[in-house]
Amino acid sequence: MTTQQQAPEQALPPLGSVGFLRWLWRQLTSMRTALILLFLLAVVSIPGSILPQRGTNPLRVDQWIEENPATAPILDALGFFDVYASPWFAAVYLLLFISLIGCVLPRVGVHLRALRTPPPRAPRNLNRLPASGSFVSELTVDEVLTSAAGQLRQGHWRVRSSEGEWVAAEKGYWRETGNLVFHLSLILVLVGIAVGGLLGWRGNVVVREGTGFSNTLTQYDAWGAGRFVSADALAPFSFTLEDFRVDFERGEAQRGAPREFEADLTYRAAPGGEEVSTTVQVNEPLIASGAKVFLVGHGYAPHVIVRDSTGRVVFDDTVTFLPQDGNFTSTGVIKAPDAEPALGFNGLFLPTAALTEELGPHSVFPAPDYPGLFLSAFTGDMGLDDGSPQSVYTLDTSGMEQIGLESLLPGDVWTLPEGQGSIEFVDLERWASFQIAHDPGKELALGASLAAMIGLMVSLFVRRRRIWVRAQPADDGGTLVHVGALARSEGTDVESDVVDLMSRLGGPDVSQERAPQ
Amino acid sequence: MTSVQLAEASNAAVYASMITLTLAMVAFAVSFASGRRRVTVPSTSAGQQPGRRAANIGMSLTWLSFLLLLLGVVLRGVWAGRVPWGNMYEFSITAALGVLGVYLGMSIRRDLRWLGLFVVIPTLLWLGLAITVLYTEAAQLVPALKSYWLVIHVSAAIICFGAFTFAAATAGLSLVRGRAERRADSTEVTGWLSRVPDHERLERLTNTVIAFAFPLWTFAVVAGAIWAENAWGRYWGWDPKETWAFITWVIFAAYLHARSTAGWRGSRASWIVLAGWVSFLINYFGVNIFVNSLHSYSGM
Ligand code: HEM
């Protein structure tokens, strides 16, 4: 095989700069370099599976950095929390793909030429081949050779004959074709991934029951896009979350694990467009103008009404509470800055409330069997006036004063001390979180993966081999027929080809030189 | 049958399979121990070899325990009312089924009695681990697992697991046997190693199995990516499970390269196979149990 690596002694670099570059290129595109780069790729992938990664879990990264103040900054600077976007990871796979291109493109040319070249002449002595056999036939030399050529053609061998002496045949060209298709398709897979990375976008959004979402950047809670995406050009679809249903395991095993969740949406492809009702489930996204809307999470949104000291309603809405554990012990914040005085609440929502000495209030089951809302009320300056953006999930209590603690069941009203107002826990709604993603490269990546798989199978299952037949008049009449074969790919058994051809030519059923195993 | 009876029947079938597998192990061990003659390869005239009867009994018992385990897995699925791949216990018994299945399937066309002991012992340990440490009551699937891609992806992965385990066994044996051959120099290999084929034949066998398993593993990874795209909106996210699937894939691709790289054929290639198998195991145990991953379905 032309791509095989020379002995290492030969690999000393020459001195001239052109010679050196050529040497470097030959090293880079050698089989051994490919092997080493593949190992390196495996090794550099490992840290990203052990350390938390920004791409998948930014919160855990922050937590990890906090817990390991000594090592974290170094690791962070070296890109260990974003391994798959780090320069060293990219260096390995880019080198591998350069090597791949440098290795495979020349082989395409070689293979195209090989496809047009007839099989080589028969060697003088077929008995020296790894598999061979001979017998004496009653037919004439010409009859034997014609018959051999016919038989081989029928068996889809490529045949070359020399008048009256030998027949040469080769088979299994598809092996190299498959191998090349496989390697070239890998390049296309990478192109597909790159297209998705540069032109794709993805965002996350939390939508409460009864509220809507429209596909503009400002509506997203989190958003990431490729370099060439323009946020103005997003498809103008919108939807409303009408209803959300969820079901949890109540049996002993895996108690509390989610069993079913689905969201009913009404969807509009464009403002003023026709309204369509649909249901989104895990594994069953909504396809919206080239993007896909996936249901990825859910939680509770208690509906509360806040009145201030004058009795005026200053807040009347559902509030998104974020789950903190598998039983949906959730935290959330209610802010009523316009109240007189301004009111704020830190809340803990428990779908199935329990209170113990060591855990405090917590939830023991994710379904709302005994929902409780634990509130801590504050008045004073909540720091909204200086204009800096504030999260809807945190309350800045540094300028506030705590005025009380209370736990509420649905329907309960808590009258705040000193006539500062009241808060009512009206009832319970849910929210669902959606991931909305657009990846224009995924079809290419999929198509190329399928092509790679087909190429791979062809390459691994097709066996490339040559066979030759020589015929000459035997001393005591008849024709002496030699058959010999050579494997041109790893692990190929050519014995059976020889045995098969000999029996088709009227010879004995078993090769005489070597008994098959 | 009531649900409880189904559960008990499934467990009983798994236990019965372990018992027959233990007997198979004894039979294979007897066949190995008997007649420590100098025999290089299980030759075609093996008819008279001592221990051959024991090996045949071992083979039959392995078939029996395969069928019992199949019954156990099917009953488990009937009990749970879904495919039996909802937690690590179920994955594990199905994986054991995969290992036995690949071994028995391969043995139909060639004489693999010599390999029996090396397949049966790990499978037995594996099943023991499954039914003691990993055992989980049947429950329904978490929603992300409810997809026909689960059936496609997991069944491909389980067959791959069987094939990679088989390849790891033959690769490991070829390393040990190769060393013994070098030590024995021109004389013949003695002891138990005389009863396994020479290292070249073992390497060819490893190669054959991986040529089958690697495309299947490629398929399993692609099917997993399609499923992930359907469930989470991205086909590849470098989640630990995906990362280790990729690492396993890359290692076996390296193996296929090593076969045609000077200086890497033979024992180095065998080490690569072992490394690939270890990375498969890391993916199975490490990621399911220790790592916080979207794919942690262990049920533990
Ligand atoms: C992304 C990196 C690569 C991967 C994943 C990969 C994977 C594979 C696989 C799985 C095979 C065995 C299947 C087949 O024969 O088609 C193979 C064979 C081969 N690869 Fe690669 N390869 C990569 C890069 C390269 C590079 C850089 C070279 C050039 C040095 C190369 C040269 C070859 C050759 C010559 C064979 C044929 C070996 C044989 O006939 O047994 N590959 N490759």
Side-chain angles (χ1 to χ4, degrees):
Chain A
M1 187 144 295
T2 50
T3 45
Q4 274 175 19
Q5 175 58 33
Q6 323 74 355
E9 301 81 274
Q10 287 171 271
L12 283 179
L15 291 175
S17 60
V18 175
F20 179 76
L21 284 179
R22 192 172 298 150
W23 172 85
L24 204 64
W25 180 247
R26 220 177 309 120
Q27 290 305 304
L28 183 62
T29 56
S30 78
M31 204 60 181
R32 180 141 49 86
T33 308
L35 187 58
I36 287 166
L37 286 172
L38 279 169
F39 279 132
L40 263 181
L41 185 60
V43 171
V44 296
S45 304
I46 294 175
S49 74
I50 298 167
L51 293 168
Q53 297 293 296
R54 289 228 160 75
T56 42
N57 208 336
L59 291 179
R60 291 233 349 266
V61 174
D62 294 341
Q63 196 185 339
W64 202 94
I65 291 178
E66 221 164 84
E67 286 163 8
N68 302 274
T71 45
I74 307 168
L75 291 178
D76 201 8
L78 292 175
F80 274 91
F81 300 114
D82 216 350
V83 166
Y84 308 104
S86 71
W88 41 273
F89 188 78
V92 173
Y93 74 76
L94 288 179
L95 272 179
L96 186 57
F97 272 88
I98 292 170
S99 167
L100 176 68
I101 293 166
C103 166
V104 171
L105 285 188
R107 276 170 56 204
V108 174
V110 172
H111 186 52
L112 287 179
R113 246 169 288 134
L115 284 177
R116 278 179 271 118
T117 316
R121 312 168 54 87
R124 191 141 299 283
N125 192 348
L126 295 184
N127 290 333
R128 295 226 183 103
L129 293 170
S132 63
S134 52
F135 64 96
V136 177
S137 164
E138 253 106 75
L139 306 174
T140 67
V141 169
D142 279 344
E143 279 169 345
V144 167
L145 291 179
T146 317
S147 155
Q151 293 285 353
L152 287 166
R153 280 207 187 86
Q154 227 172 34
H156 304 286
W157 292 73
R158 172 174 305 176
V159 179
R160 170 185 179 189
S161 316
S162 105
E163 281 302 314
E165 267 188 80
W166 47 260
V167 171
E170 183 160 353
K171 191 175 182 172
Y173 295 85
W174 278 102
R175 182 186 179 88
E176 181 71 358
T177 310
N179 181 297
L180 293 172
V181 166
F182 168 74
H183 284 90
L184 293 173
S185 303
L186 290 184
I187 302 176
L188 288 184
V189 173
L190 195 69
V191 171
I193 294 171
V195 167
L198 293 171
L199 296 174
W201 51 264
R202 115 191 7 261
N204 283 78
V205 60
V206 167
V207 183
R208 284 167 285 136
E209 271 175 321
T211 67
F213 164 83
S214 60
N215 190 30
T216 53
L217 197 50
T218 49
Q219 295 245 328
Y220 283 99
D221 300 321
W223 162 266
R227 189 162 303 166
F228 300 140
V229 175
S230 137
D232 310 330
L234 295 184
F237 64 83
S238 61
F239 62 79
T240 305
L241 176 61
E242 302 293 351
D243 188 25
F244 181 77
R245 290 178 297 279
V246 60
D247 187 19
F248 299 96
E249 174 69 48
R250 289 185 183 270
E252 196 55 37
Q254 299 187 6
R255 185 175 160 78
R259 287 303 165 222
E260 183 104 61
F261 55 114
E262 53 185 31
D264 288 343
L265 307 180
T266 49
Y267 163 76
R268 253 185 237 268
E274 194 193 339
E275 257 189 3
V276 188
S277 297
T278 118
T279 301
V280 177
Q281 300 178 355
V282 178
N283 288 322
E284 280 173 38
L286 162 70
I287 298 179
S289 314
K292 279 187 173 178
V293 180
F294 299 89
L295 180 61
V296 288
H298 63 97
Y300 291 98
H303 177 196
V304 295
I305 297 176
V306 180
R307 292 186 168 81
D308 70 2
S309 54
T310 65
R312 186 166 56 99
V313 172
V314 287
F315 185 94
D316 179 3
D317 204 353
T318 51
V319 185
T320 305
F321 274 58
L322 297 181
Q324 307 296 316
D325 63 23
N327 284 326
F328 283 73
T329 300
S330 310
T331 58
V333 164
I334 301 151
K335 296 180 190 179
D338 301 333
E340 196 51 55
L343 290 171
F345 301 85
N346 263 331
L348 195 60
F349 174 74
L350 313 170
T352 302
L355 190 66
T356 56
E357 198 68 28
E358 69 268 36
L359 290 173
H362 65 283
S363 173
V364 291
F365 194 73
D369 293 346
Y370 182 55
L373 186 60
F374 287 64
L375 293 173
S376 162
F378 294 85
T379 61
D381 176 17
M382 56 179 76
L384 288 174
D385 297 336
D386 63 359
S388 61
Q390 259 198 14
S391 162
V392 293
Y393 299 116
T394 55
L395 181 66
D396 178 6
T397 56
S398 56
M400 304 186 79
E401 182 199 349
Q402 190 178 15
I403 55 172
L405 284 169
E406 190 56 89
S407 61
L408 309 177
L409 298 177
D412 285 355
V413 180
W414 174 26
T415 308
L416 298 173
E418 296 162 31
Q420 297 183 78
S422 68
I423 181 164
E424 177 180 359
F425 176 13
V426 183
D427 58 9
L428 195 57
E429 300 274 354
R430 295 175 194 265
W431 55 262
S433 65
F434 296 90
Q435 166 142 230
I436 304 177
H438 173 60
D439 182 345
K442 63 175 191 278
E443 287 81 10
L444 176 59
L446 178 62
S449 314
L450 295 179
M453 247 171 345
I454 292 167
L456 182 65
M457 284 195 281
V458 168
S459 159
L460 288 172
F461 298 147
V462 170
R463 297 167 302 132
R464 183 142 183 202
R465 57 237 201 252
R466 288 181 179 152
I467 197 163
W468 292 277
V469 180
R470 269 185 182 281
Q472 64 197 79
D475 298 337
D476 41 4
T479 300
L480 182 56
V481 183
H482 287 284
V483 178
L486 179 67
R488 299 204 61 214
S489 51
E490 190 87 2
T492 301
D493 164 37
V494 282
E495 199 88 42
S496 55
D497 290 318
V498 172
V499 173
D500 184 51
L501 185 60
M502 292 215 310
S503 68
R504 279 165 190 274
L505 293 177
D509 255 342
V510 182
S511 165
Q512 288 154 2
E513 312 297 305
R514 273 193 183 189
Q517 288 189 339
Chain B
M1 258 195 265
T2 69
S3 152
V4 174
Q5 282 170 325
L6 272 173
E8 281 170 0
S10 166
N11 292 351
V14 173
Y15 277 118
S17 156
M18 289 175 69
I19 291 167
T20 48
L21 212 51
T22 312
L23 296 176
M25 178 182 76
V26 172
F28 281 127
V30 165
S31 128
F32 241 91
S34 62
R36 275 173 203 269
R37 295 184 324 177
R38 297 185 171 196
V39 187
T40 30
V41 182
S43 63
T44 36
S45 60
Q48 290 78 43
Q49 255 183 40
R52 189 184 146 112
R53 253 192 53 202
N56 283 345
I57 294 173
M59 244 13 234
S60 311
L61 286 169
T62 310
W63 274 106
L64 185 59
S65 54
F66 172 76
L67 294 176
L68 285 168
L69 194 56
L70 182 64
L71 185 68
V73 169
V74 169
L75 286 178
R76 178 90 186 179
V78 175
W79 172 26
R82 53 167 168 76
V83 285
W85 303 322
N87 53 51
M88 263 185 95
Y89 168 69
E90 293 170 358
F91 281 132
S92 298
I93 57 173
T94 317
L97 191 69
V99 172
L100 291 181
V102 167
Y103 169 64
L104 292 169
M106 295 278 298
S107 78
I108 292 175
R109 286 189 45 200
R110 58 199 100 203
D111 182 358
L112 291 178
R113 283 170 293 203
W114 53 270
L115 190 61
L117 198 57
F118 304 97
V119 169
V120 165
I121 290 178
T123 310
L124 204 50
L125 291 175
W126 179 266
L127 278 176
L129 187 72
I131 207 148
T132 52
V133 180
L134 304 176
Y135 189 79
T136 322
E137 295 292 327
Q140 286 184 348
L141 297 179
V142 297
L145 283 177
K146 278 186 193 162
S147 160
Y148 54 89
W149 284 107
L150 167 73
V151 183
I152 296 170
H153 171 73
V154 175
S155 50
I158 282 168
I159 298 170
C160 285
F161 178 71
F164 286 146
T165 305
F166 183 102
T170 51
L173 275 177
S174 82
L175 285 170
V176 180
R177 167 83 198 199
R179 185 164 305 152
E181 280 168 28
R182 257 171 283 127
R183 198 167 295 148
D185 211 7
S186 55
T187 62
E188 284 191 340
V189 173
T190 55
W192 67 271
L193 279 171
S194 67
R195 307 194 63 88
V196 304
D198 65 71
H199 79 276
E200 274 170 22
R201 190 169 157 224
L202 286 166
E203 280 161 12
R204 273 205 304 279
L205 198 55
T206 310
N207 192 30
T208 308
V209 176
I210 291 184
F212 154 77
F214 184 78
L216 193 61
W217 181 238
T218 311
F219 171 77
V221 173
V222 172
I226 295 174
W227 177 19
E229 204 275 330
N230 253 305
W232 300 311
R234 86 284 184 293
Y235 56 87
W236 198 266
W238 295 108
D239 182 85
K241 197 108 192 169
E242 295 167 356
T243 303
W244 280 96
F246 175 74
I247 293 171
T248 306
W249 189 80
V250 168
I251 293 177
F252 282 108
Y255 165 80
L256 289 174
H257 275 206
R259 299 176 317 171
S260 24
T261 308
W264 281 85
R265 278 169 256 243
S267 65
R268 283 198 194 176
S270 301
W271 281 111
I272 301 177
V273 173
L274 290 177
W277 186 65
V278 167
S279 87
F280 200 106
L281 287 186
I282 289 177
N283 204 2
Y284 186 76
F285 282 111
V287 177
N288 270 339
I289 299 173
F290 300 115
V291 182
N292 181 345
S293 154
L294 282 172
H295 290 83
S296 298
Y297 304 122
S298 66
M300 295 173 71

